[in-house]
PDB file of all heavy atoms in Angstrom:
ATOM      1  N   ALA A 317      -3.017  -2.925  -6.888  1.00 98.00           N
ATOM      2  CA  ALA A 317      -4.092  -2.345  -6.149  1.00 98.00           C
ATOM      3  C   ALA A 317      -3.681  -0.948  -5.665  1.00 98.00           C
ATOM      4  O   ALA A 317      -2.532  -0.633  -5.508  1.00 98.00           O
ATOM      5  CB  ALA A 317      -4.562  -3.346  -5.072  1.00 98.00           C
ATOM      6  N   ARG A 318      -4.815  -0.214  -5.296  1.00 97.00           N
ATOM      7  CA  ARG A 318      -4.555   1.113  -4.917  1.00 97.00           C
ATOM      8  C   ARG A 318      -3.313   1.404  -3.986  1.00 97.00           C
ATOM      9  O   ARG A 318      -2.521   2.282  -4.372  1.00 97.00           O
ATOM     10  CB  ARG A 318      -5.752   1.779  -4.195  1.00 97.00           C
ATOM     11  CG  ARG A 318      -5.891   3.205  -4.063  1.00 97.00           C
ATOM     12  CD  ARG A 318      -7.277   3.700  -3.672  1.00 97.00           C
ATOM     13  NE  ARG A 318      -7.779   3.112  -2.467  1.00 97.00           N
ATOM     14  CZ  ARG A 318      -8.908   3.484  -1.895  1.00 97.00           C
ATOM     15  NH1 ARG A 318      -9.641   4.486  -2.444  1.00 97.00           N
ATOM     16  NH2 ARG A 318      -9.331   2.939  -0.783  1.00 97.00           N
ATOM     17  N   PRO A 319      -3.186   0.644  -2.920  1.00 97.00           N
ATOM     18  CA  PRO A 319      -2.090   0.956  -1.954  1.00 97.00           C
ATOM     19  C   PRO A 319      -0.696   0.634  -2.635  1.00 97.00           C
ATOM     20  O   PRO A 319       0.298   1.093  -2.048  1.00 97.00           O
ATOM     21  CB  PRO A 319      -2.263   0.146  -0.677  1.00 97.00           C
ATOM     22  CG  PRO A 319      -3.183  -0.943  -1.257  1.00 97.00           C
ATOM     23  CD  PRO A 319      -4.025  -0.473  -2.365  1.00 97.00           C
ATOM     24  N   HIS A 347      -7.105  -3.824  -9.129  1.00 98.00           N
ATOM     25  CA  HIS A 347      -7.972  -2.634  -9.127  1.00 98.00           C
ATOM     26  C   HIS A 347      -7.985  -2.058 -10.527  1.00 98.00           C
ATOM     27  O   HIS A 347      -6.991  -2.031 -11.111  1.00 98.00           O
ATOM     28  CB  HIS A 347      -7.542  -1.690  -8.102  1.00 98.00           C
ATOM     29  CG  HIS A 347      -7.834  -2.110  -6.696  1.00 98.00           C
ATOM     30  ND1 HIS A 347      -7.331  -1.359  -5.644  1.00 98.00           N
ATOM     31  CD2 HIS A 347      -8.446  -3.140  -6.215  1.00 98.00           C
ATOM     32  CE1 HIS A 347      -7.755  -1.926  -4.447  1.00 98.00           C
ATOM     33  NE2 HIS A 347      -8.487  -3.104  -4.830  1.00 98.00           N
ATOM     34  N   MET A 352      -9.940   3.965  -8.692  1.00 97.00           N
ATOM     35  CA  MET A 352      -9.070   3.055  -7.816  1.00 97.00           C
ATOM     36  C   MET A 352      -7.647   2.856  -8.523  1.00 97.00           C
ATOM     37  O   MET A 352      -6.725   2.162  -7.776  1.00 97.00           O
ATOM     38  CB  MET A 352      -9.824   1.737  -7.665  1.00 97.00           C
ATOM     39  CG  MET A 352     -11.094   1.813  -6.899  1.00 97.00           C
ATOM     40  SD  MET A 352     -10.830   2.310  -5.174  1.00 97.00           S
ATOM     41  CE  MET A 352     -10.213   0.714  -4.483  1.00 97.00           C
ATOM     42  N   ASP A 404       1.124  -6.086   0.301  1.00 98.00           N
ATOM     43  CA  ASP A 404       0.550  -7.263   0.808  1.00 98.00           C
ATOM     44  C   ASP A 404      -0.682  -7.760   0.173  1.00 98.00           C
ATOM     45  O   ASP A 404      -1.562  -8.558   0.626  1.00 98.00           O
ATOM     46  CB  ASP A 404       0.339  -7.249   2.272  1.00 98.00           C
ATOM     47  CG  ASP A 404      -0.434  -6.056   2.666  1.00 98.00           C
ATOM     48  OD1 ASP A 404      -1.261  -5.595   1.804  1.00 98.00           O
ATOM     49  OD2 ASP A 404      -0.591  -5.631   3.839  1.00 98.00           O
ATOM     50  N   VAL A 405      -0.871  -7.266  -1.107  1.00 98.00           N
ATOM     51  CA  VAL A 405      -2.198  -7.768  -1.783  1.00 98.00           C
ATOM     52  C   VAL A 405      -2.131  -9.103  -2.533  1.00 98.00           C
ATOM     53  O   VAL A 405      -0.956  -9.559  -2.537  1.00 98.00           O
ATOM     54  CB  VAL A 405      -2.672  -6.530  -2.745  1.00 98.00           C
ATOM     55  CG1 VAL A 405      -2.871  -5.303  -1.950  1.00 98.00           C
ATOM     56  CG2 VAL A 405      -1.769  -6.404  -3.898  1.00 98.00           C
ATOM     57  N   MET A 453      -6.541 -12.433   8.521  1.00 96.00           N
ATOM     58  CA  MET A 453      -6.371 -11.424   7.389  1.00 96.00           C
ATOM     59  C   MET A 453      -5.764 -11.954   6.159  1.00 96.00           C
ATOM     60  O   MET A 453      -4.630 -12.499   6.219  1.00 96.00           O
ATOM     61  CB  MET A 453      -5.557 -10.191   7.967  1.00 96.00           C
ATOM     62  CG  MET A 453      -6.151  -9.397   9.023  1.00 96.00           C
ATOM     63  SD  MET A 453      -5.081  -8.030   9.458  1.00 96.00           S
ATOM     64  CE  MET A 453      -5.233  -7.003   8.001  1.00 96.00           C
ATOM     65  N   PRO A 454      -6.423 -11.870   5.071  1.00 97.00           N
ATOM     66  CA  PRO A 454      -5.714 -12.353   3.839  1.00 97.00           C
ATOM     67  C   PRO A 454      -4.307 -11.773   3.627  1.00 97.00           C
ATOM     68  O   PRO A 454      -3.394 -12.399   3.211  1.00 97.00           O
ATOM     69  CB  PRO A 454      -6.757 -12.046   2.676  1.00 97.00           C
ATOM     70  CG  PRO A 454      -7.561 -11.033   3.300  1.00 97.00           C
ATOM     71  CD  PRO A 454      -7.698 -11.257   4.735  1.00 97.00           C
ATOM     72  N   GLU A 455      -4.054 -10.524   3.916  1.00 98.00           N
ATOM     73  CA  GLU A 455      -2.892  -9.825   3.784  1.00 98.00           C
ATOM     74  C   GLU A 455      -1.804 -10.439   4.480  1.00 98.00           C
ATOM     75  O   GLU A 455      -0.665 -10.441   4.105  1.00 98.00           O
ATOM     76  CB  GLU A 455      -2.966  -8.284   4.163  1.00 98.00           C
ATOM     77  CG  GLU A 455      -4.013  -7.436   3.352  1.00 98.00           C
ATOM     78  CD  GLU A 455      -5.425  -7.559   3.631  1.00 98.00           C
ATOM     79  OE1 GLU A 455      -5.802  -8.323   4.715  1.00 98.00           O
ATOM     80  OE2 GLU A 455      -6.191  -6.903   3.048  1.00 98.00           O
ATOM     81  N   ILE A 527     -12.912   9.453   7.173  1.00 98.00           N
ATOM     82  CA  ILE A 527     -13.206   8.093   7.401  1.00 98.00           C
ATOM     83  C   ILE A 527     -12.779   7.258   6.162  1.00 98.00           C
ATOM     84  O   ILE A 527     -13.216   7.677   5.017  1.00 98.00           O
ATOM     85  CB  ILE A 527     -14.686   7.776   7.641  1.00 98.00           C
ATOM     86  CG1 ILE A 527     -15.109   8.669   8.754  1.00 98.00           C
ATOM     87  CG2 ILE A 527     -14.932   6.273   7.986  1.00 98.00           C
ATOM     88  CD1 ILE A 527     -16.689   8.712   8.834  1.00 98.00           C
ATOM     89  N   THR A 528     -12.064   6.180   6.386  1.00 98.00           N
ATOM     90  CA  THR A 528     -11.949   5.192   5.294  1.00 98.00           C
ATOM     91  C   THR A 528     -12.155   3.734   5.991  1.00 98.00           C
ATOM     92  O   THR A 528     -11.451   3.486   6.985  1.00 98.00           O
ATOM     93  CB  THR A 528     -10.563   5.151   4.531  1.00 98.00           C
ATOM     94  OG1 THR A 528      -9.703   4.435   5.252  1.00 98.00           O
ATOM     95  CG2 THR A 528     -10.088   6.574   4.254  1.00 98.00           C
ATOM     96  N   LEU A 529     -13.011   2.873   5.345  1.00 98.00           N
ATOM     97  CA  LEU A 529     -13.248   1.600   5.888  1.00 98.00           C
ATOM     98  C   LEU A 529     -13.470   0.670   4.709  1.00 98.00           C
ATOM     99  O   LEU A 529     -14.220   0.880   3.802  1.00 98.00           O
ATOM    100  CB  LEU A 529     -14.454   1.550   6.632  1.00 98.00           C
ATOM    101  CG  LEU A 529     -14.573   2.248   8.063  1.00 98.00           C
ATOM    102  CD1 LEU A 529     -15.950   2.353   8.534  1.00 98.00           C
ATOM    103  CD2 LEU A 529     -13.563   1.692   9.103  1.00 98.00           C
ATOM    104  N   HIS A 530     -12.579  -0.488   4.705  1.00 98.00           N
ATOM    105  CA  HIS A 530     -12.795  -1.414   3.649  1.00 98.00           C
ATOM    106  C   HIS A 530     -12.475  -2.866   3.969  1.00 98.00           C
ATOM    107  O   HIS A 530     -12.686  -3.693   3.133  1.00 98.00           O
ATOM    108  CB  HIS A 530     -11.973  -0.940   2.391  1.00 98.00           C
ATOM    109  CG  HIS A 530     -10.496  -1.268   2.492  1.00 98.00           C
ATOM    110  ND1 HIS A 530      -9.742  -0.383   3.173  1.00 98.00           N
ATOM    111  CD2 HIS A 530      -9.762  -2.228   2.109  1.00 98.00           C
ATOM    112  CE1 HIS A 530      -8.513  -0.752   3.157  1.00 98.00           C
ATOM    113  NE2 HIS A 530      -8.436  -1.973   2.542  1.00 98.00           N
ATOM    114  N   ARG A 531     -11.908  -3.020   5.229  1.00 97.00           N
ATOM    115  CA  ARG A 531     -11.485  -4.331   5.552  1.00 97.00           C
ATOM    116  C   ARG A 531     -12.649  -5.349   5.632  1.00 97.00           C
ATOM    117  O   ARG A 531     -13.622  -4.978   6.268  1.00 97.00           O
ATOM    118  CB  ARG A 531     -10.726  -4.424   6.940  1.00 97.00           C
ATOM    119  CG  ARG A 531      -9.439  -3.675   6.910  1.00 97.00           C
ATOM    120  CD  ARG A 531      -8.185  -4.404   6.497  1.00 97.00           C
ATOM    121  NE  ARG A 531      -7.228  -3.461   6.368  1.00 97.00           N
ATOM    122  CZ  ARG A 531      -6.155  -3.584   5.529  1.00 97.00           C
ATOM    123  NH1 ARG A 531      -5.969  -4.670   4.767  1.00 97.00           N
ATOM    124  NH2 ARG A 531      -5.143  -2.643   5.464  1.00 97.00           N
ATOM    125  N   PRO A 532     -12.547  -6.589   5.142  1.00 96.00           N
ATOM    126  CA  PRO A 532     -13.599  -7.560   5.270  1.00 96.00           C
ATOM    127  C   PRO A 532     -14.153  -7.622   6.728  1.00 96.00           C
ATOM    128  O   PRO A 532     -15.419  -7.638   6.967  1.00 96.00           O
ATOM    129  CB  PRO A 532     -12.986  -8.814   4.883  1.00 96.00           C
ATOM    130  CG  PRO A 532     -11.914  -8.430   3.940  1.00 96.00           C
ATOM    131  CD  PRO A 532     -11.409  -7.209   4.373  1.00 96.00           C
ATOM    132  N   ALA A 533     -13.260  -7.553   7.754  1.00 95.00           N
ATOM    133  CA  ALA A 533     -13.721  -7.765   9.133  1.00 95.00           C
ATOM    134  C   ALA A 533     -14.687  -6.602   9.568  1.00 95.00           C
ATOM    135  O   ALA A 533     -15.551  -6.787  10.464  1.00 95.00           O
ATOM    136  CB  ALA A 533     -12.488  -7.829  10.024  1.00 95.00           C
ATOM    137  N   ASN A 534     -14.504  -5.531   8.940  1.00 97.00           N
ATOM    138  CA  ASN A 534     -15.371  -4.364   9.287  1.00 97.00           C
ATOM    139  C   ASN A 534     -16.569  -4.223   8.344  1.00 97.00           C
ATOM    140  O   ASN A 534     -17.651  -3.764   8.764  1.00 97.00           O
ATOM    141  CB  ASN A 534     -14.591  -2.968   9.250  1.00 97.00           C
ATOM    142  CG  ASN A 534     -13.706  -2.842  10.410  1.00 97.00           C
ATOM    143  OD1 ASN A 534     -14.105  -3.327  11.522  1.00 97.00           O
ATOM    144  ND2 ASN A 534     -12.568  -2.187  10.273  1.00 97.00           N
ATOM    145  N   VAL A 535     -16.482  -4.534   7.083  1.00 98.00           N
ATOM    146  CA  VAL A 535     -17.603  -4.172   6.249  1.00 98.00           C
ATOM    147  C   VAL A 535     -18.385  -5.454   5.576  1.00 98.00           C
ATOM    148  O   VAL A 535     -19.359  -5.194   4.926  1.00 98.00           O
ATOM    149  CB  VAL A 535     -17.076  -3.299   5.068  1.00 98.00           C
ATOM    150  CG1 VAL A 535     -16.367  -2.054   5.636  1.00 98.00           C
ATOM    151  CG2 VAL A 535     -16.200  -4.105   4.113  1.00 98.00           C
ATOM    152  N   ASP A 536     -17.907  -6.616   5.863  1.00 97.00           N
ATOM    153  CA  ASP A 536     -18.530  -7.793   5.193  1.00 97.00           C
ATOM    154  C   ASP A 536     -19.798  -8.176   6.007  1.00 97.00           C
ATOM    155  O   ASP A 536     -20.633  -8.982   5.644  1.00 97.00           O
ATOM    156  CB  ASP A 536     -17.574  -8.872   4.944  1.00 97.00           C
ATOM    157  CG  ASP A 536     -16.653  -8.520   3.776  1.00 97.00           C
ATOM    158  OD1 ASP A 536     -16.734  -7.445   3.214  1.00 97.00           O
ATOM    159  OD2 ASP A 536     -15.889  -9.502   3.324  1.00 97.00           O
ATOM    160  N   LEU A 541     -21.132  -3.694  10.293  1.00 97.00           N
ATOM    161  CA  LEU A 541     -21.217  -2.572   9.479  1.00 97.00           C
ATOM    162  C   LEU A 541     -22.328  -1.541   9.890  1.00 97.00           C
ATOM    163  O   LEU A 541     -22.230  -0.384  10.015  1.00 97.00           O
ATOM    164  CB  LEU A 541     -21.413  -2.872   8.006  1.00 97.00           C
ATOM    165  CG  LEU A 541     -21.257  -1.598   7.035  1.00 97.00           C
ATOM    166  CD1 LEU A 541     -19.896  -0.920   7.129  1.00 97.00           C
ATOM    167  CD2 LEU A 541     -21.289  -2.158   5.587  1.00 97.00           C
ATOM    168  N   LEU A 544     -21.175   0.121  13.034  1.00 96.00           N
ATOM    169  CA  LEU A 544     -20.220   1.185  12.735  1.00 96.00           C
ATOM    170  C   LEU A 544     -20.862   2.469  12.243  1.00 96.00           C
ATOM    171  O   LEU A 544     -20.507   3.574  12.494  1.00 96.00           O
ATOM    172  CB  LEU A 544     -19.148   0.597  11.700  1.00 96.00           C
ATOM    173  CG  LEU A 544     -17.944  -0.038  12.237  1.00 96.00           C
ATOM    174  CD1 LEU A 544     -17.128  -0.753  11.141  1.00 96.00           C
ATOM    175  CD2 LEU A 544     -17.102   0.997  12.944  1.00 96.00           C
ATOM    176  N   PHE A 559     -16.466  10.786   4.170  1.00 98.00           N
ATOM    177  CA  PHE A 559     -16.370   9.320   3.975  1.00 98.00           C
ATOM    178  C   PHE A 559     -16.269   9.016   2.490  1.00 98.00           C
ATOM    179  O   PHE A 559     -17.325   8.880   1.822  1.00 98.00           O
ATOM    180  CB  PHE A 559     -17.608   8.765   4.709  1.00 98.00           C
ATOM    181  CG  PHE A 559     -17.529   7.242   4.784  1.00 98.00           C
ATOM    182  CD1 PHE A 559     -16.443   6.515   4.331  1.00 98.00           C
ATOM    183  CD2 PHE A 559     -18.594   6.544   5.296  1.00 98.00           C
ATOM    184  CE1 PHE A 559     -16.476   5.119   4.517  1.00 98.00           C
ATOM    185  CE2 PHE A 559     -18.669   5.134   5.356  1.00 98.00           C
ATOM    186  CZ  PHE A 559     -17.506   4.355   4.915  1.00 98.00           C
ATOM    187  N   PRO A 560     -15.068   8.973   1.920  1.00 98.00           N
ATOM    188  CA  PRO A 560     -14.950   8.343   0.534  1.00 98.00           C
ATOM    189  C   PRO A 560     -15.107   6.925   0.720  1.00 98.00           C
ATOM    190  O   PRO A 560     -14.339   6.251   1.474  1.00 98.00           O
ATOM    191  CB  PRO A 560     -13.493   8.744   0.086  1.00 98.00           C
ATOM    192  CG  PRO A 560     -13.000   9.733   1.263  1.00 98.00           C
ATOM    193  CD  PRO A 560     -13.734   9.382   2.471  1.00 98.00           C
ATOM    194  N   ILE A 561     -16.022   6.368  -0.111  1.00 98.00           N
ATOM    195  CA  ILE A 561     -16.359   4.965   0.062  1.00 98.00           C
ATOM    196  C   ILE A 561     -15.747   4.061  -0.992  1.00 98.00           C
ATOM    197  O   ILE A 561     -15.829   4.063  -2.154  1.00 98.00           O
ATOM    198  CB  ILE A 561     -17.992   4.796   0.029  1.00 98.00           C
ATOM    199  CG1 ILE A 561     -18.575   5.863   0.960  1.00 98.00           C
ATOM    200  CG2 ILE A 561     -18.430   3.358   0.319  1.00 98.00           C
ATOM    201  CD1 ILE A 561     -20.078   5.781   0.978  1.00 98.00           C
ATOM    202  N   HIS A 562     -15.052   3.096  -0.376  1.00 98.00           N
ATOM    203  CA  HIS A 562     -14.401   1.980  -1.198  1.00 98.00           C
ATOM    204  C   HIS A 562     -15.377   1.114  -1.905  1.00 98.00           C
ATOM    205  O   HIS A 562     -16.476   0.906  -1.298  1.00 98.00           O
ATOM    206  CB  HIS A 562     -13.534   1.195  -0.191  1.00 98.00           C
ATOM    207  CG  HIS A 562     -12.631   0.170  -0.874  1.00 98.00           C
ATOM    208  ND1 HIS A 562     -13.142  -1.114  -1.322  1.00 98.00           N
ATOM    209  CD2 HIS A 562     -11.323   0.049  -1.117  1.00 98.00           C
ATOM    210  CE1 HIS A 562     -12.275  -1.815  -1.623  1.00 98.00           C
ATOM    211  NE2 HIS A 562     -11.017  -1.107  -1.607  1.00 98.00           N
ATOM    212  N   PRO A 563     -15.149   0.597  -3.040  1.00 97.00           N
ATOM    213  CA  PRO A 563     -16.145  -0.223  -3.826  1.00 97.00           C
ATOM    214  C   PRO A 563     -16.657  -1.363  -2.964  1.00 97.00           C
ATOM    215  O   PRO A 563     -17.915  -1.714  -3.013  1.00 97.00           O
ATOM    216  CB  PRO A 563     -15.469  -0.698  -5.100  1.00 97.00           C
ATOM    217  CG  PRO A 563     -14.236   0.106  -5.238  1.00 97.00           C
ATOM    218  CD  PRO A 563     -13.906   0.822  -3.887  1.00 97.00           C
ATOM    219  N   ARG A 564     -15.869  -2.011  -2.315  1.00 97.00           N
ATOM    220  CA  ARG A 564     -16.247  -3.166  -1.404  1.00 97.00           C
ATOM    221  C   ARG A 564     -17.292  -2.729  -0.339  1.00 97.00           C
ATOM    222  O   ARG A 564     -18.330  -3.366  -0.122  1.00 97.00           O
ATOM    223  CB  ARG A 564     -14.995  -3.879  -0.736  1.00 97.00           C
ATOM    224  CG  ARG A 564     -15.431  -4.757   0.368  1.00 97.00           C
ATOM    225  CD  ARG A 564     -14.155  -5.232   1.189  1.00 97.00           C
ATOM    226  NE  ARG A 564     -13.253  -6.067   0.586  1.00 97.00           N
ATOM    227  CZ  ARG A 564     -13.452  -7.406   0.498  1.00 97.00           C
ATOM    228  NH1 ARG A 564     -14.527  -8.010   1.002  1.00 97.00           N
ATOM    229  NH2 ARG A 564     -12.639  -8.160  -0.164  1.00 97.00           N
ATOM    230  N   THR A 565     -17.029  -1.588   0.230  1.00 98.00           N
ATOM    231  CA  THR A 565     -17.841  -1.043   1.314  1.00 98.00           C
ATOM    232  C   THR A 565     -19.052  -0.577   0.751  1.00 98.00           C
ATOM    233  O   THR A 565     -20.287  -0.778   1.305  1.00 98.00           O
ATOM    234  CB  THR A 565     -17.110   0.125   1.989  1.00 98.00           C
ATOM    235  OG1 THR A 565     -15.814  -0.374   2.394  1.00 98.00           O
ATOM    236  CG2 THR A 565     -17.763   0.526   3.323  1.00 98.00           C
ATOM    237  N   ARG A 566     -19.005   0.093  -0.468  1.00 98.00           N
ATOM    238  CA  ARG A 566     -20.340   0.525  -1.128  1.00 98.00           C
ATOM    239  C   ARG A 566     -21.243  -0.582  -1.455  1.00 98.00           C
ATOM    240  O   ARG A 566     -22.540  -0.549  -1.172  1.00 98.00           O
ATOM    241  CB  ARG A 566     -19.908   1.357  -2.332  1.00 98.00           C
ATOM    242  CG  ARG A 566     -21.226   1.888  -3.113  1.00 98.00           C
ATOM    243  CD  ARG A 566     -20.955   2.807  -4.307  1.00 98.00           C
ATOM    244  NE  ARG A 566     -20.396   4.080  -3.815  1.00 98.00           N
ATOM    245  CZ  ARG A 566     -21.196   5.083  -3.403  1.00 98.00           C
ATOM    246  NH1 ARG A 566     -22.380   5.123  -3.669  1.00 98.00           N
ATOM    247  NH2 ARG A 566     -20.562   6.182  -3.044  1.00 98.00           N
ATOM    248  N   HIS A 568     -21.504  -3.445   0.059  1.00 98.00           N
ATOM    249  CA  HIS A 568     -22.146  -3.921   1.293  1.00 98.00           C
ATOM    250  C   HIS A 568     -23.071  -2.960   1.946  1.00 98.00           C
ATOM    251  O   HIS A 568     -24.219  -3.232   2.381  1.00 98.00           O
ATOM    252  CB  HIS A 568     -21.043  -4.422   2.258  1.00 98.00           C
ATOM    253  CG  HIS A 568     -20.438  -5.669   1.734  1.00 98.00           C
ATOM    254  ND1 HIS A 568     -19.081  -5.737   1.662  1.00 98.00           N
ATOM    255  CD2 HIS A 568     -20.981  -6.831   1.288  1.00 98.00           C
ATOM    256  CE1 HIS A 568     -18.787  -6.974   1.193  1.00 98.00           C
ATOM    257  NE2 HIS A 568     -19.965  -7.619   1.006  1.00 98.00           N
ATOM    258  N   ILE A 606     -10.445   8.169  11.025  1.00 98.00           N
ATOM    259  CA  ILE A 606     -10.940   6.900  11.350  1.00 98.00           C
ATOM    260  C   ILE A 606     -10.683   6.000  10.230  1.00 98.00           C
ATOM    261  O   ILE A 606     -11.235   6.246   9.120  1.00 98.00           O
ATOM    262  CB  ILE A 606     -12.436   6.896  11.775  1.00 98.00           C
ATOM    263  CG1 ILE A 606     -12.737   7.898  12.887  1.00 98.00           C
ATOM    264  CG2 ILE A 606     -12.899   5.544  12.194  1.00 98.00           C
ATOM    265  CD1 ILE A 606     -14.131   8.119  13.219  1.00 98.00           C
ATOM    266  N   THR A 607      -9.903   4.806  10.367  1.00 98.00           N
ATOM    267  CA  THR A 607      -9.583   4.023   9.285  1.00 98.00           C
ATOM    268  C   THR A 607      -9.494   2.507   9.598  1.00 98.00           C
ATOM    269  O   THR A 607      -9.264   2.201  10.777  1.00 98.00           O
ATOM    270  CB  THR A 607      -8.356   4.637   8.604  1.00 98.00           C
ATOM    271  OG1 THR A 607      -8.089   4.076   7.351  1.00 98.00           O
ATOM    272  CG2 THR A 607      -7.115   4.339   9.505  1.00 98.00           C
ATOM    273  N   ASP A 608      -9.257   1.762   8.646  1.00 98.00           N
ATOM    274  CA  ASP A 608      -8.814   0.430   8.738  1.00 98.00           C
ATOM    275  C   ASP A 608      -7.736   0.183   7.643  1.00 98.00           C
ATOM    276  O   ASP A 608      -7.373  -0.938   7.499  1.00 98.00           O
ATOM    277  CB  ASP A 608      -9.864  -0.647   8.761  1.00 98.00           C
ATOM    278  CG  ASP A 608     -10.693  -0.619   7.562  1.00 98.00           C
ATOM    279  OD1 ASP A 608     -10.393  -0.008   6.542  1.00 98.00           O
ATOM    280  OD2 ASP A 608     -11.773  -1.332   7.505  1.00 98.00           O
ATOM    281  N   SER A 609      -7.342   1.200   7.108  1.00 97.00           N
ATOM    282  CA  SER A 609      -6.218   1.053   6.067  1.00 97.00           C
ATOM    283  C   SER A 609      -4.802   0.840   6.688  1.00 97.00           C
ATOM    284  O   SER A 609      -4.742   1.387   7.761  1.00 97.00           O
ATOM    285  CB  SER A 609      -6.284   2.352   5.204  1.00 97.00           C
ATOM    286  OG  SER A 609      -4.956   2.736   4.793  1.00 97.00           O
ATOM    287  N   GLY A 610      -3.879   0.318   6.020  1.00 97.00           N
ATOM    288  CA  GLY A 610      -2.479   0.130   6.501  1.00 97.00           C
ATOM    289  C   GLY A 610      -1.799   1.507   6.259  1.00 97.00           C
ATOM    290  O   GLY A 610      -1.219   2.114   7.164  1.00 97.00           O
ATOM    291  N   GLY A 611      -1.829   1.864   5.090  1.00 97.00           N
ATOM    292  CA  GLY A 611      -0.973   3.167   4.644  1.00 97.00           C
ATOM    293  C   GLY A 611      -1.413   4.373   5.325  1.00 97.00           C
ATOM    294  O   GLY A 611      -0.465   5.280   5.796  1.00 97.00           O
ATOM    295  N   ILE A 612      -2.717   4.509   5.683  1.00 98.00           N
ATOM    296  CA  ILE A 612      -3.108   5.840   6.360  1.00 98.00           C
ATOM    297  C   ILE A 612      -2.575   5.875   7.793  1.00 98.00           C
ATOM    298  O   ILE A 612      -2.252   6.952   8.331  1.00 98.00           O
ATOM    299  CB  ILE A 612      -4.663   5.981   6.209  1.00 98.00           C
ATOM    300  CG1 ILE A 612      -4.944   6.119   4.667  1.00 98.00           C
ATOM    301  CG2 ILE A 612      -5.073   7.165   6.938  1.00 98.00           C
ATOM    302  CD1 ILE A 612      -6.457   6.025   4.392  1.00 98.00           C
ATOM    303  N   GLN A 613      -2.449   4.646   8.396  1.00 98.00           N
ATOM    304  CA  GLN A 613      -1.824   4.732   9.771  1.00 98.00           C
ATOM    305  C   GLN A 613      -0.445   5.354   9.622  1.00 98.00           C
ATOM    306  O   GLN A 613       0.052   6.062  10.599  1.00 98.00           O
ATOM    307  CB  GLN A 613      -1.722   3.239  10.248  1.00 98.00           C
ATOM    308  CG  GLN A 613      -2.994   2.560  10.453  1.00 98.00           C
ATOM    309  CD  GLN A 613      -2.774   1.122  10.811  1.00 98.00           C
ATOM    310  OE1 GLN A 613      -2.017   0.777  11.707  1.00 98.00           O
ATOM    311  NE2 GLN A 613      -3.547   0.246  10.058  1.00 98.00           N
ATOM    312  N   MET A 626      -9.566   1.082  13.281  1.00 98.00           N
ATOM    313  CA  MET A 626     -10.784   0.161  13.691  1.00 98.00           C
ATOM    314  C   MET A 626     -10.272  -1.225  13.424  1.00 98.00           C
ATOM    315  O   MET A 626     -10.838  -1.966  12.561  1.00 98.00           O
ATOM    316  CB  MET A 626     -11.981   0.468  12.901  1.00 98.00           C
ATOM    317  CG  MET A 626     -12.587   1.928  13.182  1.00 98.00           C
ATOM    318  SD  MET A 626     -12.814   2.385  14.855  1.00 98.00           S
ATOM    319  CE  MET A 626     -14.003   1.216  15.252  1.00 98.00           C
ATOM    320  N   ARG A 627      -9.369  -1.666  14.265  1.00 97.00           N
ATOM    321  CA  ARG A 627      -8.787  -3.032  14.211  1.00 97.00           C
ATOM    322  C   ARG A 627      -8.269  -3.447  15.461  1.00 97.00           C
ATOM    323  O   ARG A 627      -7.913  -2.696  16.258  1.00 97.00           O
ATOM    324  CB  ARG A 627      -7.718  -3.121  13.129  1.00 97.00           C
ATOM    325  CG  ARG A 627      -8.199  -3.023  11.621  1.00 97.00           C
ATOM    326  CD  ARG A 627      -7.003  -3.048  10.640  1.00 97.00           C
ATOM    327  NE  ARG A 627      -6.031  -3.989  10.990  1.00 97.00           N
ATOM    328  CZ  ARG A 627      -4.846  -4.087  10.337  1.00 97.00           C
ATOM    329  NH1 ARG A 627      -4.522  -3.255   9.395  1.00 97.00           N
ATOM    330  NH2 ARG A 627      -4.005  -4.996  10.694  1.00 97.00           N
TER     331      ARG A 627
END
Side-chain angles (χ1 to χ4, degrees):
R318 189 168 62 174
H347 282 176
M352 295 294 285
D404 56 17
V405 303
M453 290 180 72
E455 294 82 0
I527 306 163
T528 81
L529 293 170
H530 73 277
R531 296 275 170 206
N534 282 328
V535 307
D536 287 7
L541 190 56
L544 271 170
F559 187 5
I561 308 178
H562 184 282
R564 170 191 283 278
T565 312
R566 176 171 294 271
H568 288 128
I606 301 172
T607 192
D608 56 13
S609 144
I612 297 170
Q613 297 173 49
M626 299 306 297
R627 285 178 44 191

